[in-house]
Amino acid sequence: MFLRVIVLALSVQGEEPFCKLWEYPDIPLLSKTGDFILGGIFTLHNNFIASKPTLKEYQFAEAMIFAIEQINNRTDILPNVSLGYKIYDTCSTVSMAIKAAMALMSGAGEAQSSTLPCSQQSSIHAIIGQTASSPTIGIATLVGQFNIPVISHFATCACLSNRKEFPTFFRTIPSDYYQSRALAQLVRHFGWTWVGTIRSDNDYGNSGMATFVEVAQKEGICIEYSEVIYRTNPREKFLKTVDVIKMASSKTIVAFASFIDIEFLIKELVLQNVTGLQWVGSESWVSAKNVATKENYRIFKGAIGFSITNAAIPGLKEFLLSVRPSSTPGNAGLIKLWEDMFDCSFNASNPKTCSGSEDLQQVNNLYTDVSELGVTYNVYKAVYAVAHALHNLLACQDNQGPCMANQKDTLPLQKVNFSVNRGEYVNFDINGDPPARYELVNWQLSVNGILEFIPKSVCSESCRPGTRKATQKGKPVCCFDCLPCAEGEIIHCMTCPLEYRANKEKDQCILKNIEFLSYDEIMGMILIILAFLGALLTSTVTVVFFKFRDTPIVKANNSELSFLLLFSLTLCFLCSLTFIGEPTQWSCMLRHTAFGITFVLCISCVLGKTIVVLMAFRATMPGNNIMKCFGPTQQRLSVLTFTLIQTLICIIWLAKYPPVPQKNVNSNKEIIILECEMGSTVAFYIVLGYIGLLSVMCFVLAFLARKLPDNFNEAKFITFSMLVFCSVWITFIPSYISSPGKYTVAVEVFAILASSFGLLLCIFIPKCYIILLKPDKNSKKHLMGKNAVKITLKSKMLCWASVPTTLN
């Protein structure tokens, strides 16, 4: 392989470039910086036609830039990564193509170097080009040594499919392996068994014609003569070829040649008026607009052949018309093009100077013509192929995508499979070739005298991406309507994978956005503020109670359970924070269990306080020992027992069916909802049911004690607090079920906060009001009222309560 590089370099040294525009071959004509640089090698000027700008090649270069700018503005491909480019001109010579490849690999100023250190990092990540097969072979042979991919848009030589010689070569145009066979079958189809052949004397023509001859002989086609042409041949050789054509008896000619070589032959054919022949052509010339002129129609009338499938690139026309020349680095390549199109000069000494603001809308040439974009579309696809490969490579390096063992440092073009614009999928086989698709071309003159390729004759236009065919009743299958696809379907109604959705154009599947209740969104921030506000308010109440712990109102309301209740309320507020943020294994396990246990602890304390109040008022007779049954020890045990039951339920839940984070792709077709899967719905409802049972018990007991006489009857406030608590959670159930996505979690957090605030405000704020603002009422006399009984508990707990006057 290394030997071939040396031989190739030596073989092109004799080519003297006539292109005078590119005086510094190490400097790209068009360039832009970026995180990743793509190289481009195009024949922007024709060395054999007075170094004139090649308008179609300029369109290829601008299409490459257009695709790069389009990708840089997208968020689904290479997000936060920018692509740059360096585009070089070959001036139609193999030597300049190889120099351009060397300049791209080594960086500016190093293209003249005869060797490139194997350890040096290449400045580019892939090369788009070249148009012709011979320079592409030179480029691919050279850069293949350094594992740099070359993606050609128009090099069709079947020889380039040899993976041993060209391991990093790819193309977005089919190999001539298929075209040559198709041409032979086309000739046989029309019964033309006696033909002459003409080929370009280069890799494209020689390889393509060799395959054609091989297949033609099997098809029973005989070849009368085989002529060779090349752009650098002297005129005498072209005249000899014309003489062979004129003297031959065969009336069908198969020409497998590049359009540049055919142009030289056409001049002689036109001069000698050689007409009346049936031409069968390869895609390089038979579909070339610069060949298909009204003058040439006399020679090639009725010519047939194959062309690349035509395409439309939305936005390209506007982009082509928006470019402007300048002397700034990266844009100097447009100066010569501009001068040629507007017949002016940027040299101030020239009588007709260019302003740079001339209107391209008034220009109609191969650069601005977007009616035939088959090859241009191949350039567009090549850029997108590199972008998708880079995207996959970066995901692989970040361990976010599937990787082969040796893929982390190699651009995985072999693995790309994507859709662009029309819904056509782009991929490469093991040889770096795309699927073969061609259109049949027939030269016909239209009514207005313009030469057209194959007049369109269809019953129904092809369905656009996002629609499907529906046969019209009573009509042939080629007559159909285009019906819209369902949501989540692309191209011709193919369903996207579960984690993907259809884009607006419905021509490709893109990843759905992942949704969860996050800390940095407004709703999440509000809930966090409320949680911390509740915890802060609870802590403040705790400080107040601790400071005034020896006052009658604190003692009368069972200070030990009050402090435990305040502690549990703080945990209730804080446990709501576990519901906010991206669900993880630990947060999913913690959020519902922490909520269940802290709320049971909270309700157990309220239940204990309620029972104390109820029993205290029932122990109205002197010597009644009913409070012995529910003294301080029993109160602590009751709270501990209720809480341990819930803890045991949660432990079993976590051990058997722990909650786990999951991606919910079914609830919403547009987004992925990242949520916690309960693991066991039964366990979740047992946890909720147990909280509900304790709440109902507490509410019933508090309701029974609500009318007991006292200037400060705590049972009234407990009743109201449990009424708020139960109302919140009863309302929660339908809201929880009907809320979509992250709002389900928000509803649950709101219910936790609302019920916690209800308990805090209803039970403790009235006490704080008296402690801080009405200290005169914080006395035994006021609490006992006119008729009071002091009830002494054996456990030495004091409980002051009023008793009915009828018991005196």
Side-chain angles (χ1 to χ4, degrees):
M1 193 69 163
F2 178 68
L3 179 61
R4 176 165 184 174
V5 176
I6 297 175
V7 172
L8 184 58
L10 291 174
S11 67
V12 299
Q13 283 180 356
E15 294 187 28
E16 289 296 330
F18 300 103
C19 180
K20 302 233 177 130
L21 169 70
W22 194 11
E23 297 178 3
Y24 305 98
D26 304 334
I27 302 174
L29 294 186
L30 300 167
S31 65
K32 181 182 179 180
T33 59
D35 298 323
F36 294 94
I37 304 297
L38 273 61
I41 302 178
F42 301 99
T43 306
L44 299 179
H45 298 85
N46 195 331
N47 192 24
F48 304 100
I49 310 178
S51 297
K52 284 286 186 181
T54 310
L55 299 177
K56 197 65 179 177
E57 293 278 335
Y58 263 101
Q59 187 186 80
F60 298 161
E62 290 298 332
M64 174 180 171
I65 297 172
F66 171 71
I68 289 173
E69 296 296 342
Q70 200 175 60
I71 292 166
N72 285 341
N73 290 326
R74 291 177 62 165
T75 56
D76 56 329
I77 304 177
L78 296 175
N80 303 318
V81 173
S82 65
L83 293 180
Y85 54 85
K86 291 182 180 180
I87 297 176
Y88 285 83
D89 184 8
T90 70
C91 291
S92 302
T93 67
V94 177
S95 61
M96 297 293 271
I98 293 176
K99 286 182 179 180
M102 294 177 69
L104 284 170
M105 287 192 299
S106 61
E110 298 180 19
Q112 302 297 334
S113 175
S114 59
T115 60
L116 179 68
C118 294
S119 61
Q120 183 172 329
Q121 181 73 28
S122 172
S123 63
I124 49 100
H125 295 79
I127 295 177
I128 309 297
Q130 216 270 334
T131 301
S133 293
S134 292
T136 303
I137 289 173
I139 295 168
T141 302
L142 176 65
V143 304
Q145 304 293 323
F146 305 96
N147 205 29
I148 299 173
V150 176
I151 307 96
S152 176
H153 53 283
F154 208 39
T156 58
C157 180
C159 59
L160 285 163
S161 297
N162 188 332
R163 262 303 182 245
K164 291 183 179 179
E165 294 192 35
F166 311 105
T168 63
F169 176 76
F170 298 84
R171 53 183 158 196
T172 50
I173 188 171
S175 166
D176 283 338
Y177 174 88
Y178 305 102
Q179 183 182 196
S180 299
R181 283 162 170 72
L183 286 172
Q185 293 171 5
L186 183 64
V187 171
R188 186 68 183 87
H189 172 77
F190 287 105
W192 301 324
T193 57
W194 184 237
V195 302
T197 64
I198 298 174
R199 72 181 187 275
S200 287
D201 191 12
N202 56 18
D203 295 283
Y204 170 74
N206 293 330
S207 175
M209 186 55 73
T211 305
F212 171 82
V213 172
E214 178 187 347
V215 178
Q217 290 174 345
K218 294 178 181 178
E219 294 285 344
I221 301 169
C222 299
I223 298 173
E224 182 181 6
Y225 61 86
S226 182
E227 287 294 307
V228 178
I229 60 175
Y230 193 64
R231 64 204 73 170
T232 58
N233 288 349
R235 187 186 179 199
E236 288 74 19
K237 287 193 176 183
F238 285 100
L239 291 174
K240 175 184 172 294
T241 299
V242 173
D243 289 339
V244 171
I245 294 172
K246 290 166 65 177
M247 295 179 65
S249 59
S250 58
K251 299 301 179 184
T252 300
I253 301 174
V254 178
F256 213 107
S258 67
F259 73 91
I260 298 177
D261 299 334
I262 283 289
E263 282 183 325
F264 285 92
L265 179 62
I266 290 173
K267 291 178 182 178
E268 304 303 330
L269 292 171
V270 170
L271 287 174
Q272 300 189 37
N273 195 28
V274 181
T275 60
L277 298 174
Q278 176 62 55
W279 289 80
V280 180
S282 60
E283 94 295 333
S284 178
W285 72 267
V286 80
S287 60
K289 279 290 186 76
N290 52 332
V291 176
T293 63
K294 190 174 181 179
E295 182 185 24
N296 294 343
Y297 181 71
R298 291 190 299 110
I299 310 300
F300 294 119
K301 180 181 179 180
I304 62 171
F306 294 103
S307 71
I308 305 305
T309 306
N310 196 15
I313 306 177
L316 179 63
K317 175 77 172 181
E318 294 75 13
F319 182 82
L320 293 174
L321 298 179
S322 67
V323 300
R324 292 290 180 270
S326 69
S327 58
T328 57
N331 201 27
L334 292 175
I335 293 177
K336 179 65 176 174
L337 173 68
W338 206 263
E339 291 178 337
D340 187 76
M341 284 198 298
F342 293 103
D343 191 24
C344 59
S345 174
F346 283 95
N347 190 338
S349 61
N350 195 295
K352 186 178 180 181
T353 58
C354 301
S355 66
S357 59
E358 287 80 4
D359 189 7
L360 278 172
Q361 296 278 1
Q362 309 302 321
V363 177
N364 185 18
N365 57 24
L366 289 176
Y367 172 76
T368 59
D369 181 19
V370 294
S371 61
E372 296 287 336
L373 290 178
V375 182
T376 308
Y377 185 59
N378 286 345
V379 177
Y380 185 79
K381 290 190 294 185
V383 176
Y384 265 89
V386 175
H388 279 275
L390 275 172
H391 185 90
N392 295 340
L393 178 62
L394 294 177
C396 171
Q397 291 174 343
D398 293 338
N399 296 319
Q400 294 179 358
C403 302
M404 300 297 289
N406 61 344
Q407 188 179 313
K408 288 199 173 185
D409 297 317
T410 305
L411 198 61
L413 278 164
Q414 199 77 57
K415 302 296 180 183
V416 298
N417 186 16
F418 63 95
S419 170
V420 179
N421 291 341
R422 299 181 304 159
E424 171 192 349
Y425 272 86
V426 178
N427 49 55
F428 305 101
D429 63 16
I430 58 174
N431 298 318
D433 295 327
R437 298 183 184 90
Y438 296 101
E439 288 182 350
L440 190 63
V441 171
N442 177 221
W443 284 32
Q444 296 294 333
L445 204 62
S446 65
V447 178
N448 55 6
I450 299 175
L451 190 62
E452 293 182 345
F453 301 133
I454 301 186
K456 187 176 288 188
S457 177
V458 295
C459 179
S460 301
E461 294 288 344
S462 299
C463 289
R464 295 177 60 81
T467 61
R468 62 177 177 83
K469 293 181 180 179
T471 305
Q472 296 176 357
K473 189 175 182 180
K475 293 188 178 182
V477 292
C478 56
C479 300
F480 50 83
D481 295 319
C482 297
L483 302 181
C485 296
E487 286 295 324
E489 295 180 341
I490 62 167
I491 318 298
H492 302 308
C493 298
M494 294 185 295
T495 305
C496 289
L498 287 177
E499 293 190 5
Y500 291 76
R501 62 180 178 86
N503 62 355
K504 290 182 180 179
E505 293 76 21
K506 292 195 173 182
D507 60 0
Q508 65 178 349
C509 294
I510 58 176
L511 275 172
K512 295 179 179 177
N513 293 328
I514 296 179
E515 181 183 87
F516 56 88
L517 185 61
S518 63
Y519 294 103
D520 53 2
E521 60 180 294
I522 294 177
M523 182 165 57
M525 291 179 181
I526 292 174
L527 293 175
I528 291 171
I529 291 171
L530 290 175
F532 280 116
L533 181 63
L536 179 63
L537 187 58
T538 306
S539 301
T540 304
V541 172
T542 304
V543 171
V544 171
F545 264 55
F546 183 79
K547 184 176 181 179
F548 296 94
R549 62 187 179 278
D550 295 325
T551 60
I553 195 168
V554 175
K555 287 184 176 181
N557 287 283
N558 200 324
S559 60
E560 184 175 332
L561 286 180
S562 294
F563 284 117
L564 189 56
L565 176 57
L566 287 169
F567 171 72
S568 63
L569 279 174
T570 304
L571 295 180
C572 288
F573 282 114
L574 295 178
C575 82
S576 64
L577 299 176
T578 62
F579 289 80
I580 305 173
E582 182 177 351
T584 63
Q585 183 74 38
W586 286 104
S587 67
C588 287
M589 295 174 64
L590 181 64
R591 60 172 56 172
H592 288 108
T593 52
F595 153 71
I597 294 172
T598 55
F599 262 75
V600 164
L601 176 62
C602 179
I603 300 301
S604 299
C605 294
V606 177
L607 182 60
K609 290 171 70 67
T610 307
I611 294 173
V612 168
V613 172
L614 191 64
M615 287 188 172
F617 278 98
R618 288 293 180 261
T620 55
M621 298 299 295
N624 193 326
N625 293 326
I626 189 171
M627 288 303 297
K628 291 181 181 180
C629 301
F630 205 70
T633 303
Q634 288 79 10
Q635 294 169 31
R636 298 187 192 104
L637 285 175
S638 67
V639 172
L640 180 62
T641 302
F642 288 138
T643 307
L644 282 177
I645 293 173
Q646 183 75 307
T647 304
L648 183 62
I649 294 172
C650 292
I651 291 173
I652 296 173
W653 182 11
L654 294 179
K656 292 291 185 180
Y657 311 101
V660 292
Q662 75 164 10
K663 295 179 178 180
N664 185 343
V665 296
N666 299 316
S667 298
N668 193 310
K669 293 184 178 180
E670 295 298 317
I671 59 173
I672 297 174
I673 301 171
L674 195 56
E675 60 185 11
C676 287
E677 200 278 322
M678 293 298 178
S680 172
T681 307
V682 174
F684 175 66
Y685 283 117
I686 290 176
V687 168
L688 286 183
Y690 185 63
I691 296 174
L693 176 65
L694 294 182
S695 302
V696 171
M697 288 173 56
C698 188
F699 175 74
V700 171
L701 292 177
F703 183 80
L704 294 176
R706 74 191 187 284
K707 292 185 177 179
L708 293 175
D710 189 2
N711 283 343
F712 194 83
N713 183 0
E714 191 175 24
K716 296 178 183 178
F717 302 107
I718 293 176
T719 302
F720 190 66
S721 68
M722 295 314 301
L723 185 62
V724 172
F725 184 92
C726 293
S727 300
V728 168
W729 286 101
I730 291 173
T731 309
F732 159 79
I733 296 173
S735 302
Y736 182 84
I737 295 173
S738 61
S739 298
K742 62 184 178 182
Y743 298 102
T744 302
V745 180
V747 166
E748 190 168 0
V749 174
F750 180 79
I752 292 172
L753 295 176
S755 54
S756 300
F757 272 113
L759 291 174
L760 177 66
L761 297 178
C762 294
I763 295 177
F764 291 100
I765 293 304
K767 300 180 180 64
C768 291
Y769 174 76
I770 292 177
I771 292 172
L772 299 175
L773 301 179
K774 300 288 185 178
D776 55 308
K777 294 183 178 180
N778 189 5
S779 61
K780 293 181 182 179
K781 181 179 180 181
H782 178 76
L783 292 177
M784 293 174 61
K786 295 179 180 179
N787 304 303
V789 177
K790 180 179 179 182
I791 302 176
T792 305
L793 300 177
K794 190 173 184 179
S795 60
K796 298 183 180 180
M797 181 194 75
L798 294 177
C799 181
W800 296 93
S802 299
V803 296
T805 55
T806 54
L807 296 177
N808 288 334

